[in-house]
Amino acid sequence: MVSRVEQSEETRGKIVAAAVAAFSTLGFHGASTREIAARAGINQGLITYHFRSKELLWRAAVEKIFASLRTALVPLPTSPASDPREQARESIRRYVRFAAAHPELFRLMVEEGKSGDRRMQWLVDTYLRPFYEGFKEQLAESLSEPEQSLEPHAFYALAGAVSLMFAVEPECRRLTGLNPKRKQVVEQHADYVARLFVP
Amino acid sequence: MVSRVEQSEETRGKIVAAAVAAFSTLGFHGASTREIAARAGINQGLITYHFRSKELLWRAAVEKIFASLRTALVPLPTSPASDPREQARESIRRYVRFAAAHPELFRLMVEEGKSGDRRMQWLVDTYLRPFYEGFKEQLAESLSEPEQSLEPHAFYALAGAVSLMFAVEPECRRLTGLNPKRKQVVEQHADYVARLFVP
DNA sequence: ACTTTCACTTGTCAACCGAATAAAATTCCC
DNA sequence: GGGAATTTTATTCGGTTGACAAGTGAAAGT
C-alpha cells in the first residue's frame, strides 16, 4: 500500500464495497453518494473522481457482486464417480452459502427487479441472463427432466428459497430467534433446500 | 357516496391503496407523501389530515396488506374425505395466487426486513408473527413430519419460492419472456411449488 | 333556517439533502 | 525539485421533504 496505484485501488475498493451495501439496502435513489462516502470512510469528492457519476458507481457495484457470485459458483472438478444428483445438491448448497455470505445480491435484484427502468434492463442483459443460461444448462445436465418449460419457475423458486432468509436477516432473527449468519444455520438451510429441489 | 362519511372513507381508501404500492416499491423513505397523494389522485394535505403522519399512514398500509392476506388464506371448509397432503398443496396454491395478485406484500417485507429498525420490529410483532404461528400449526397438521426445528427454513424457503417471481415481475418478463401476471403462468407456478414442497 | 362540523384546498415554511464541480492541498514518482 | 495523480475542502444550484395554518364549501344537526 505504498505505491500510488495500490493506494488508489484500495480507495476504489472501499468505495465499491460501501456502494454494494448501500445500494442493496437503500436502493439506487435512497443511497446517497454522501452516505456511501461516509460508509467507505473516504471523501465524497473521491466518488466523482474515481467513477465520474453515481450511475457508473452503481454499475461497478453490480459488477463486483456478480464477480463474487461467479467465483463462488465456479464449477468444481467433476468427480466422475459421484452421483449427478448429489452434484446438483452440492451446487445448491454452494449457492446457499453464497447467499448467506452475500445477501446483497438478492436485495439488489429485488430492489431493481421491481421496476422496469433502464438500470434493470442493463442489469438483466449484462449480468443476470448469462447466469440464468448457465443455470438452465446445469439443470438440464443434472436432472434431465422433460419439464423444460418449467425452467423459469424452477429458477425463481430456487433463488427465492435459497436467499430470502438471509436477505431479511434482521427480520428472521426477531421472528424466529434464529441467527441466519451462524454457520450451523446456513448449513441446515443449505441441506434443506438441496433436498427440497433434488429429493 | 353522497354522505360525508362515505366520501371520507373512499378518500382514506384511495390513499392507503396508493401508499401500499408506493411503500412497497420505493420503501418508506423513498415514497414521499406527495408521490402517494399524486398516485391516489388527492391532495397532499389530506394525508396529514387523515393519518396525522407518514408513519401512521405506513402502518395503515401494512394493515391493509395483511388484511387481504388473511382474507385470501382463510381456511377452507375442510372436506374430511380429501387427502391432507392435497389440502396442503391447495393451501400453497392459494398462497401463490395471492402473491401473484399482491406482490406488494413480499416487496414490503423485503424492504423492511433488511433493517432492524423500529418499523420492522413493529411489523414483525404485530403482523408477521401471528401469520408465522399459523403457518407452523398448519405445517404440523398437514405434514406431521418430525423435523420440527426445520420450521424457519421451511417458512422462508416457501415464502421465497412462492413470491419472488411475482415480486420482480418486470425483471422476470425481460429475463424469461414470461409474463408472471398471466393466469396460466400463475397456475403453473402454483402447481410447481405445491408439488415441490408436498411431493 | 341557521349554525356547527368536517372533509378538503391552498399556500407556505424551514430544513435538509441531491450530485457534480472547482480549486486548493497533499502525496508519490521521476 | 518539477509534474502528475490522488485527495481534500468548499461551494453551487436546485430540488424535495413532512408538516402545518388558514381558508372554503358543503353536508349534518338542531
Side-chain angles (χ1 to χ4, degrees):
Chain A
M1 203 214 306
V2 255
S3 91
R4 221 163 17 173
V5 284
E6 287 174 34
Q7 174 67 20
S8 171
E9 276 176 16
E10 164 154 344
T11 299
R12 288 179 64 99
K14 283 197 288 187
I15 294 175
V16 172
V20 165
F23 283 134
S24 62
T25 57
L26 303 170
F28 181 79
H29 293 293
S32 67
T33 56
R34 283 181 164 80
E35 166 80 15
I36 294 170
R39 290 196 196 203
I42 54 92
N43 199 284
Q44 190 253 350
L46 277 177
I47 289 181
T48 309
Y49 176 76
H50 281 292
F51 297 93
R52 300 193 49 81
S53 77
K54 188 183 179 181
E55 172 116 11
L56 291 178
L57 170 59
W58 179 84
R59 294 197 182 191
V62 173
E63 160 61 29
K64 166 150 184 176
I65 296 183
F66 274 88
S68 50
L69 177 64
R70 284 192 298 267
T71 303
L73 296 191
V74 63
L76 288 179
T78 171
S79 55
S82 74
D83 180 9
R85 296 180 70 81
E86 183 50 34
Q87 283 186 0
R89 276 184 219 110
E90 188 53 28
S91 291
I92 292 177
R93 285 193 206 101
R94 291 207 289 159
Y95 184 20
V96 171
R97 288 183 202 112
F98 173 83
H102 303 277
E104 300 87 12
L105 173 66
F106 186 82
R107 287 174 182 160
L108 189 131
M109 293 309 300
V110 172
E111 191 71 51
E112 297 294 331
K114 291 185 285 195
S115 94
D117 62 11
R118 198 168 37 83
R119 280 196 319 279
M120 182 278 272
Q121 299 180 4
W122 177 87
L123 176 49
V124 170
D125 297 344
T126 311
Y127 290 107
L128 187 57
R129 202 186 311 281
F131 178 67
Y132 178 62
E133 298 297 334
F135 167 80
K136 285 207 298 191
E137 279 183 33
Q138 225 172 335
L139 190 77
E141 286 179 19
S142 301
L143 301 177
S144 65
E145 291 180 18
E147 300 129 324
Q148 301 255 359
S149 69
L150 285 183
E151 277 154 4
H153 301 285
F155 177 74
Y156 280 103
L158 179 64
V162 163
S163 311
L164 179 58
M165 169 178 256
F166 309 105
V168 296
E169 178 232 312
E171 175 207 289
C172 174
R173 249 200 247 252
R174 189 171 187 89
L175 177 65
T176 70
L178 217 64
N179 179 359
K181 290 202 160 166
R182 283 184 47 207
K183 194 165 289 182
Q184 192 197 341
V185 176
V186 175
E187 286 306 316
Q188 216 161 22
H189 197 68
D191 216 58
Y192 176 79
V193 177
R195 288 178 193 283
L196 183 67
F197 281 82
V198 188
Chain B
M1 203 211 308
V2 255
S3 90
R4 223 168 11 177
V5 284
E6 287 174 35
Q7 173 68 21
S8 172
E9 276 176 17
E10 164 154 342
T11 300
R12 287 179 64 99
K14 284 197 288 189
I15 295 174
V16 172
V20 165
F23 284 133
S24 62
T25 57
L26 303 170
F28 180 80
H29 294 292
S32 68
T33 56
R34 284 178 166 79
E35 167 79 16
I36 294 171
R39 291 195 194 201
I42 54 93
N43 196 284
Q44 190 253 348
L46 276 178
I47 290 183
T48 307
Y49 176 74
H50 280 292
F51 298 93
R52 299 190 47 82
S53 77
K54 188 183 180 182
E55 172 117 11
L56 290 178
L57 170 59
W58 178 84
R59 294 197 183 190
V62 173
E63 159 62 29
K64 166 149 183 175
I65 296 183
F66 275 88
S68 50
L69 177 64
R70 283 191 298 266
T71 303
L73 297 191
V74 64
L76 288 179
T78 170
S79 55
S82 74
D83 180 11
R85 295 179 71 82
E86 182 51 34
Q87 283 185 1
R89 276 186 218 108
E90 188 53 29
S91 289
I92 292 177
R93 286 193 205 100
R94 291 207 289 157
Y95 184 19
V96 171
R97 289 184 201 110
F98 174 83
H102 302 277
E104 300 87 11
L105 173 65
F106 186 84
R107 287 173 182 162
L108 189 131
M109 292 309 300
V110 173
E111 190 72 52
E112 297 294 331
K114 291 185 285 196
S115 93
D117 62 12
R118 200 168 35 84
R119 282 197 317 280
M120 182 278 271
Q121 298 180 4
W122 178 87
L123 176 49
V124 170
D125 297 343
T126 311
Y127 290 106
L128 186 57
R129 202 186 311 280
F131 178 68
Y132 177 63
E133 298 298 333
F135 167 81
K136 285 207 298 190
E137 279 182 32
Q138 226 173 332
L139 190 78
E141 287 180 18
S142 301
L143 301 178
S144 64
E145 291 180 18
E147 299 128 327
Q148 300 254 3
S149 68
L150 285 183
E151 276 153 5
H153 300 287
F155 177 74
Y156 280 103
L158 178 64
V162 162
S163 311
L164 179 58
M165 168 178 257
F166 309 105
V168 296
E169 177 230 313
E171 175 207 290
C172 174
R173 251 201 246 253
R174 188 171 188 92
L175 176 66
T176 69
L178 215 64
N179 179 358
K181 289 203 160 165
R182 285 185 46 207
K183 194 165 289 182
Q184 192 198 340
V185 176
V186 174
E187 287 305 316
Q188 217 160 22
H189 197 67
D191 217 57
Y192 176 78
V193 177
R195 289 178 194 284
L196 183 66
F197 280 83
V198 188

